[in-house]
Amino acid sequence: MNQKAGAQLREWRQRRRLSQLDLAIAANVSARHLSFVETGRSRPTSEMILHLAEQLEVPLRDRNALLLAGGYAPRYAEHGLAEPELKAVKDALRRVLAGQQPYPAVLVNRWWELVEANAGIALFTRDVDPGLLEPPVNVLRLSLHPDGMAPRIANLRQWRAHLLTRLHRQAETTGDPRLAALHDELKTYPGGETAPPGTASPGTAPPGTADVVVPLRYRGDRQELSFLSITAVIGTPMDITVEELAVESFYPADEATAAALAR
């Protein structure tokens, strides 16, 4: 059991591309002791497991798994958003979503599943296949699916590359098989070969926008709208559900889009 915990810690260290010496220095432990922990020759305390996990930026869900592998009880709770313990968090997140109006905003979990959204998101969902809106709704699938938002995304190749790069990085850093499977699925959708996120087709990007961010250029009914996205997470989470929530907000990337949404 201890060897299993040590092996998992070694996997996280390798995933972070750190040597044993790198981690030992960061965690202020001896490289010899760390080697013994990883090989199962030394049984780490629960405090040592959490200390190393902190240095490796292991998500709370996976820290519980490390503790269980080491023979210890999980340390972090996982409450549902409907439970009273998370009422203050839920209320705050709803205020954030409402405060983005009239700009679209969604609340998603670790696997990019839609938790809540404000009314502005109807701009993106009004003519997608209803099947894509059946729970659980995956917002990345909704974006890139040919029956979803994809036909209205003017810079689909660029936006697709941005999302796939981001998802691939997330799957690698977490080792989450669900994220890896989602990435493999989305890669099969049409939309052009993956390109570096910073590249745009000549003459297609709003001046000054593509130079600093990857915009979402969306074909509205009357005009093309350009958005930049901002991700917000809750600081210092101690609950698994809370840590895995993120707000994705879409703000106008130019004055024409701001004026159109204001109307």
Side-chain angles (χ1 to χ4, degrees):
M1 181 176 295
N2 300 327
Q3 187 173 7
K4 184 177 179 183
Q8 289 185 22
L9 283 167
R10 182 174 63 249
E11 289 177 5
W12 280 104
R13 176 179 60 77
Q14 293 171 343
R15 195 172 287 135
R16 298 294 183 257
R17 294 178 171 83
L18 295 174
S19 68
Q20 282 188 344
L21 181 59
D22 292 332
L23 178 57
I25 292 173
N28 196 27
V29 299
S30 73
R32 178 183 175 87
H33 180 56
L34 178 59
S35 176
F36 280 12
V37 167
E38 290 188 352
T39 58
R41 295 176 64 184
S42 176
R43 183 183 185 220
T45 64
S46 60
E47 288 73 18
M48 176 58 71
I49 290 175
L50 291 175
H51 178 57
L52 294 174
E54 177 73 22
Q55 299 302 316
L56 292 169
E57 298 182 347
V58 177
L60 301 187
R61 178 181 299 277
D62 301 289
R63 295 186 196 189
N64 276 351
L66 283 170
L67 288 169
L68 285 170
Y72 302 104
R75 183 71 58 91
Y76 302 98
E78 182 177 8
H79 296 96
L81 272 177
E83 296 183 45
E85 289 84 354
L86 297 191
K87 183 180 184 304
V89 172
K90 180 175 66 176
D91 290 346
L93 290 170
R94 284 179 169 171
R95 284 193 290 270
V96 171
L97 291 175
Q100 305 305 310
Q101 294 279 32
Y103 311 140
V106 294
L107 177 66
V108 296
N109 64 15
R110 169 172 172 158
W111 302 284
W112 293 93
E113 293 171 340
L114 182 67
V115 178
E116 290 201 27
N118 67 6
I121 204 66
L123 172 69
F124 295 152
T125 62
R126 58 188 175 185
D127 58 356
V128 304
D129 186 327
L132 292 172
L133 298 177
E134 293 180 2
V137 177
N138 188 282
V139 299
L140 297 188
R141 183 181 294 118
L142 184 67
S143 296
L144 299 183
H145 197 284
D147 295 326
M149 292 171 54
R152 283 185 176 263
I153 298 177
N155 61 331
L156 179 59
R157 180 172 178 267
Q158 184 190 26
W159 187 249
R160 177 180 181 273
H162 161 65
L163 293 185
L164 288 177
T165 299
R166 183 176 178 183
L167 180 58
H168 177 69
R169 186 181 302 116
Q170 184 183 3
E172 275 202 332
T173 56
T174 62
D176 191 318
R178 286 177 62 179
L179 291 172
L182 178 62
H183 178 267
D184 290 343
E185 175 195 338
L186 299 187
K187 278 177 59 179
T188 66
Y189 293 168
E193 295 299 321
T194 299
T199 25
S201 301
T204 60
T209 301
D211 295 336
V212 292
V213 298
V214 177
L216 169 63
R217 296 175 46 232
Y218 189 78
R219 298 186 184 100
D221 292 336
R222 297 184 178 181
Q223 69 185 77
E224 184 176 291
L225 306 173
S226 183
F227 297 91
L228 59 87
S229 63
I230 295 178
T231 304
V233 297
I234 297 175
T236 62
M238 293 298 291
D239 179 277
I240 293 173
T241 299
V242 175
E243 184 193 45
E244 295 179 348
L245 292 173
V247 175
E248 288 282 328
S249 305
F250 294 85
Y251 288 91
D254 56 39
E255 292 300 325
T257 299
L261 293 178
R263 291 193 299 267

